Tab-separated table of all heavy atoms in Angstrom:
chain	number	residue	atom	x	y	z
E	25	ASP	N	16.035	-52.929	-47.941
E	25	ASP	CA	17.166	-52.499	-48.758
E	25	ASP	C	18.468	-53.006	-48.149
E	25	ASP	O	18.912	-52.510	-47.114
E	25	ASP	CB	17.179	-50.975	-48.854
E	25	ASP	CG	18.382	-50.441	-49.621
E	25	ASP	OD1	19.068	-51.240	-50.290
E	25	ASP	OD2	18.642	-49.230	-49.544
E	26	THR	N	19.068	-54.003	-48.797
E	26	THR	CA	20.381	-54.503	-48.379
E	26	THR	C	21.428	-54.265	-49.463
E	26	THR	O	22.474	-54.905	-49.473
E	26	THR	CB	20.322	-56.005	-48.043
E	26	THR	OG1	19.988	-56.738	-49.231
E	26	THR	CG2	19.295	-56.287	-46.965
E	27	ALA	N	21.142	-53.340	-50.368
E	27	ALA	CA	22.078	-53.020	-51.456
E	27	ALA	C	23.267	-52.233	-50.913
E	27	ALA	O	23.299	-51.843	-49.731
E	27	ALA	CB	21.359	-52.224	-52.545
E	28	ILE	N	24.247	-51.962	-51.768
E	28	ILE	CA	25.428	-51.214	-51.343
E	28	ILE	C	25.016	-49.801	-50.936
E	28	ILE	O	24.015	-49.261	-51.435
E	28	ILE	CB	26.508	-51.178	-52.446
E	28	ILE	CG1	25.964	-50.490	-53.707
E	28	ILE	CG2	26.994	-52.586	-52.748
E	28	ILE	CD1	27.031	-50.276	-54.774
E	29	PRO	N	25.766	-49.163	-50.025
E	29	PRO	CA	25.363	-47.839	-49.525
E	29	PRO	C	25.159	-46.796	-50.623
E	29	PRO	O	24.265	-45.950	-50.510
E	29	PRO	CB	26.526	-47.450	-48.600
E	29	PRO	CG	27.083	-48.755	-48.136
E	29	PRO	CD	26.944	-49.689	-49.311
E	30	GLU	N	25.961	-46.850	-51.673
E	30	GLU	CA	25.855	-45.844	-52.732
E	30	GLU	C	24.500	-45.860	-53.426
E	30	GLU	O	24.092	-44.866	-54.034
E	30	GLU	CB	26.976	-46.046	-53.745
E	30	GLU	CG	28.360	-45.656	-53.256
E	30	GLU	CD	28.943	-46.649	-52.260
E	30	GLU	OE1	28.432	-47.794	-52.172
E	30	GLU	OE2	29.899	-46.272	-51.545
E	31	ALA	N	23.791	-46.965	-53.342
E	31	ALA	CA	22.473	-47.064	-53.972
E	31	ALA	C	21.339	-46.694	-53.028
E	31	ALA	O	20.180	-46.645	-53.450
E	31	ALA	CB	22.266	-48.482	-54.497
E	32	ARG	N	21.657	-46.410	-51.768
E	32	ARG	CA	20.600	-46.264	-50.758
E	32	ARG	C	19.640	-45.126	-51.072
E	32	ARG	O	18.421	-45.271	-50.978
E	32	ARG	CB	21.229	-46.073	-49.377
E	32	ARG	CG	20.212	-46.018	-48.243
E	32	ARG	CD	20.519	-47.004	-47.159
E	32	ARG	NE	20.761	-48.324	-47.694
E	32	ARG	CZ	21.812	-49.089	-47.347
E	32	ARG	NH1	22.683	-48.651	-46.456
E	32	ARG	NH2	21.965	-50.278	-47.866
E	33	ARG	N	20.161	-43.965	-51.417
E	33	ARG	CA	19.290	-42.810	-51.650
E	33	ARG	C	18.261	-43.107	-52.733
E	33	ARG	O	17.056	-42.873	-52.533
E	33	ARG	CB	20.128	-41.601	-52.031
E	33	ARG	CG	19.318	-40.378	-52.459
E	33	ARG	CD	20.241	-39.222	-52.766
E	33	ARG	NE	19.529	-38.054	-53.269
E	33	ARG	CZ	20.115	-36.871	-53.507
E	33	ARG	NH1	21.406	-36.721	-53.254
E	33	ARG	NH2	19.402	-35.861	-53.957
E	34	ALA	N	18.708	-43.619	-53.864
E	34	ALA	CA	17.795	-43.872	-54.979
E	34	ALA	C	16.732	-44.883	-54.590
E	34	ALA	O	15.541	-44.714	-54.901
E	34	ALA	CB	18.575	-44.353	-56.204
E	35	ILE	N	17.133	-45.949	-53.905
E	35	ILE	CA	16.186	-47.000	-53.534
E	35	ILE	C	15.183	-46.497	-52.510
E	35	ILE	O	13.963	-46.665	-52.657
E	35	ILE	CB	16.943	-48.229	-52.996
E	35	ILE	CG1	17.790	-48.867	-54.104
E	35	ILE	CG2	15.978	-49.242	-52.389
E	35	ILE	CD1	18.796	-49.870	-53.598
E	36	VAL	N	15.676	-45.870	-51.446
E	36	VAL	CA	14.800	-45.459	-50.349
E	36	VAL	C	13.838	-44.364	-50.798
E	36	VAL	O	12.632	-44.415	-50.500
E	36	VAL	CB	15.636	-45.003	-49.134
E	36	VAL	CG1	14.724	-44.446	-48.043
E	36	VAL	CG2	16.462	-46.158	-48.588
E	37	VAL	N	14.338	-43.368	-51.525
E	37	VAL	CA	13.468	-42.282	-51.976
E	37	VAL	C	12.381	-42.823	-52.910
E	37	VAL	O	11.201	-42.474	-52.781
E	37	VAL	CB	14.285	-41.175	-52.662
E	37	VAL	CG1	13.376	-40.171	-53.361
E	37	VAL	CG2	15.163	-40.456	-51.639
E	38	ALA	N	12.751	-43.680	-53.848
E	38	ALA	CA	11.759	-44.250	-54.767
E	38	ALA	C	10.705	-45.038	-54.013
E	38	ALA	O	9.498	-44.936	-54.306
E	38	ALA	CB	12.455	-45.133	-55.802
E	39	ALA	N	11.140	-45.832	-53.027
E	39	ALA	CA	10.187	-46.642	-52.259
E	39	ALA	C	9.254	-45.765	-51.428
E	39	ALA	O	8.042	-46.003	-51.375
E	39	ALA	CB	10.945	-47.614	-51.368
E	40	LEU	N	9.797	-44.754	-50.768
E	40	LEU	CA	8.960	-43.852	-49.979
E	40	LEU	C	7.938	-43.148	-50.860
E	40	LEU	O	6.760	-43.010	-50.480
E	40	LEU	CB	9.840	-42.824	-49.258
E	40	LEU	CG	10.749	-43.355	-48.148
E	40	LEU	CD1	11.706	-42.269	-47.689
E	40	LEU	CD2	9.946	-43.880	-46.969
E	41	GLU	N	8.379	-42.699	-52.024
E	41	GLU	CA	7.466	-41.976	-52.913
E	41	GLU	C	6.364	-42.872	-53.457
E	41	GLU	O	5.323	-42.376	-53.892
E	41	GLU	CB	8.266	-41.331	-54.040
E	41	GLU	CG	9.127	-40.161	-53.545
E	41	GLU	CD	9.955	-39.532	-54.630
E	41	GLU	OE1	10.133	-40.172	-55.701
E	41	GLU	OE2	10.451	-38.398	-54.422
E	42	ARG	N	6.579	-44.189	-53.436
E	42	ARG	CA	5.547	-45.131	-53.850
E	42	ARG	C	4.689	-45.603	-52.672
E	42	ARG	O	3.893	-46.538	-52.800
E	42	ARG	CB	6.197	-46.349	-54.524
E	42	ARG	CG	6.562	-46.103	-55.969
E	42	ARG	CD	5.338	-46.254	-56.853
E	42	ARG	NE	5.603	-45.911	-58.249
E	42	ARG	CZ	4.753	-46.103	-59.236
E	42	ARG	NH1	3.565	-46.640	-58.987
E	42	ARG	NH2	5.052	-45.753	-60.462
E	43	GLY	N	4.881	-44.983	-51.510
E	43	GLY	CA	4.037	-45.306	-50.366
E	43	GLY	C	4.495	-46.488	-49.546
E	43	GLY	O	3.698	-47.058	-48.783
E	44	CYS	N	5.767	-46.874	-49.674
E	44	CYS	CA	6.300	-48.017	-48.920
E	44	CYS	C	7.003	-47.547	-47.654
E	44	CYS	O	7.652	-46.496	-47.639
E	44	CYS	CB	7.310	-48.790	-49.765
E	44	CYS	SG	6.667	-49.430	-51.311
E	45	ASP	N	6.924	-48.352	-46.597
E	45	ASP	CA	7.857	-48.230	-45.492
E	45	ASP	C	9.149	-48.936	-45.901
E	45	ASP	O	9.120	-49.884	-46.692
E	45	ASP	CB	7.294	-48.873	-44.227
E	45	ASP	CG	6.060	-48.148	-43.709
E	45	ASP	OD1	6.034	-46.911	-43.775
E	45	ASP	OD2	5.124	-48.830	-43.256
E	46	VAL	N	10.275	-48.477	-45.352
E	46	VAL	CA	11.571	-49.030	-45.749
E	46	VAL	C	12.351	-49.450	-44.513
E	46	VAL	O	12.428	-48.708	-43.523
E	46	VAL	CB	12.402	-48.012	-46.554
E	46	VAL	CG1	13.742	-48.635	-46.970
E	46	VAL	CG2	11.631	-47.536	-47.780
E	47	ILE	N	12.894	-50.659	-44.575
E	47	ILE	CA	13.864	-51.150	-43.596
E	47	ILE	C	15.171	-51.358	-44.349
E	47	ILE	O	15.179	-52.026	-45.385
E	47	ILE	CB	13.416	-52.479	-42.957
E	47	ILE	CG1	12.054	-52.329	-42.270
E	47	ILE	CG2	14.454	-52.970	-41.963
E	47	ILE	CD1	11.507	-53.640	-41.727
E	48	ALA	N	16.254	-50.786	-43.851
E	48	ALA	CA	17.508	-50.840	-44.606
E	48	ALA	C	18.677	-51.232	-43.726
E	48	ALA	O	18.667	-51.047	-42.510
E	48	ALA	CB	17.799	-49.486	-45.259
E	49	GLU	N	19.688	-51.771	-44.380
E	49	GLU	CA	20.975	-51.985	-43.726
E	49	GLU	C	21.576	-50.625	-43.369
E	49	GLU	O	21.243	-49.596	-43.972
E	49	GLU	CB	21.933	-52.745	-44.647
E	49	GLU	CG	22.092	-54.217	-44.302
E	49	GLU	CD	22.684	-54.443	-42.928
E	49	GLU	OE1	23.317	-53.537	-42.349
E	49	GLU	OE2	22.491	-55.548	-42.398
E	50	LYS	N	22.486	-50.628	-42.386
E	50	LYS	CA	23.236	-49.406	-42.139
E	50	LYS	C	24.212	-49.205	-43.307
E	50	LYS	O	24.523	-50.169	-44.030
E	50	LYS	CB	23.959	-49.472	-40.786
E	50	LYS	CG	24.912	-50.686	-40.632
E	50	LYS	CD	26.226	-50.501	-41.339
E	50	LYS	CE	27.032	-51.774	-41.334
E	50	LYS	NZ	28.130	-51.756	-42.301
E	51	PRO	N	24.669	-47.973	-43.527
E	51	PRO	CA	24.315	-46.770	-42.798
E	51	PRO	C	23.043	-46.136	-43.339
E	51	PRO	O	22.556	-46.536	-44.403
E	51	PRO	CB	25.514	-45.863	-43.051
E	51	PRO	CG	25.940	-46.221	-44.446
E	51	PRO	CD	25.721	-47.714	-44.536
E	52	PHE	N	22.528	-45.164	-42.616
E	52	PHE	CA	21.340	-44.408	-43.020
E	52	PHE	C	21.458	-43.989	-44.480
E	52	PHE	O	20.535	-44.160	-45.274
E	52	PHE	CB	21.242	-43.173	-42.126
E	52	PHE	CG	19.985	-42.365	-42.274
E	52	PHE	CD1	19.017	-42.421	-41.290
E	52	PHE	CD2	19.792	-41.518	-43.355
E	52	PHE	CE1	17.853	-41.653	-41.398
E	52	PHE	CE2	18.640	-40.764	-43.473
E	52	PHE	CZ	17.668	-40.834	-42.495
């Protein structure tokens, strides 16, 4: 996930719920 920070929650939560590990740009 290298999208803008405001999109992080939606992207990371969706990916985790689909069984993916996630590597993202800062911030958390």
Side-chain angles (χ1 to χ4, degrees):
D25 176 13
T26 64
I28 61 173
E30 288 74 16
R32 184 126 311 132
R33 173 178 176 174
I35 294 167
V36 174
V37 169
L40 292 171
E41 290 178 343
R42 279 280 175 172
C44 301
D45 294 322
V46 181
I47 302 175
E49 257 297 340
K50 57 78 188 164
F52 188 106

